[in-house]
Amino acid sequence: MPATNVLANLFVTLYNTEARRKGECIVIPTSKLATKVLTTLEKEGYIGKFEHIEDKRGGKFKINLLAKITKCGAITPRFKVKKTEYSEWEQQYLPSYTRGMLLVTTNQGVMSHHDAANKGIGGFLIGYVY
C-alpha cells in the first residue's frame, strides 16, 4: 500500500463530503497531526464534534459537518512561514482577508494563522480552509 498523505486525504474527504451535503464523514487513516488539525477546525467553527475510533488498523475519525467549508486542502510542501509573512500566504490561498484561515503548525501546536500572528510566532503551513 502506498504511503498516504494523511492530511491531504483528510482535507479531500472533508471537501468531497461537504460538496455532497452530507452530515458526517469517516476519514481513514489518522495521525496525531490530523487530530490537532481537526481540533483547530472544530475550535474555529468549521466542523462539529469529531471522534477518533481505534480499530487496530491506524484508526479512523468520525466527523460531524456543519456545511461551513467551501474549499480546503493540504499545502505541500510544508512551507516555512515567518510571523511577518502570513498576509502574503493569505493572498495565495484564501479568497479574501476576512474569509478562511491557514493552518500552521508551530512550536506551540497547530493553530490558525490568526492565532499564530497574534502570538507573534511563525511555523510551517500545512493547510487552508474557507
Side-chain angles (χ1 to χ4, degrees), residues 41-113:
L41 289 175
E42 181 182 5
K43 188 178 113 221
E44 299 285 338
Y46 284 97
I47 61 171
K49 293 268 176 266
F50 71 93
E51 77 181 292
H52 182 266
I53 300 162
E54 192 45 69
D55 59 2
K56 301 283 181 278
R57 292 187 317 232
K60 56 188 170 190
F61 292 120
K62 186 172 171 201
I63 307 165
N64 289 321
L65 300 174
L66 306 171
K68 292 258 173 78
I69 298 174
T70 315
K71 186 91 179 92
C72 61
I75 297 174
T76 50
R78 292 184 180 157
F79 297 107
K80 194 175 203 147
V81 59
K82 293 189 177 85
K83 64 184 180 208
T84 53
E85 296 173 343
Y86 290 117
S87 57
E88 294 155 39
W89 292 100
E90 277 178 2
Q91 289 166 6
Q92 194 170 335
Y93 287 104
L94 303 177
S96 75
Y97 180 70
T98 51
R99 261 185 82 208
M101 68 174 182
L102 301 169
L103 284 149
V104 190
T105 175
T106 69
N107 56 7
Q108 295 177 26
V110 174
M111 59 185 76
S112 75
H113 74 284

Side-chain angles (χ1 to χ4, degrees), residues 12 40 65 95 115:
V12 164
T40 306
L65 300 174
D115 288 352

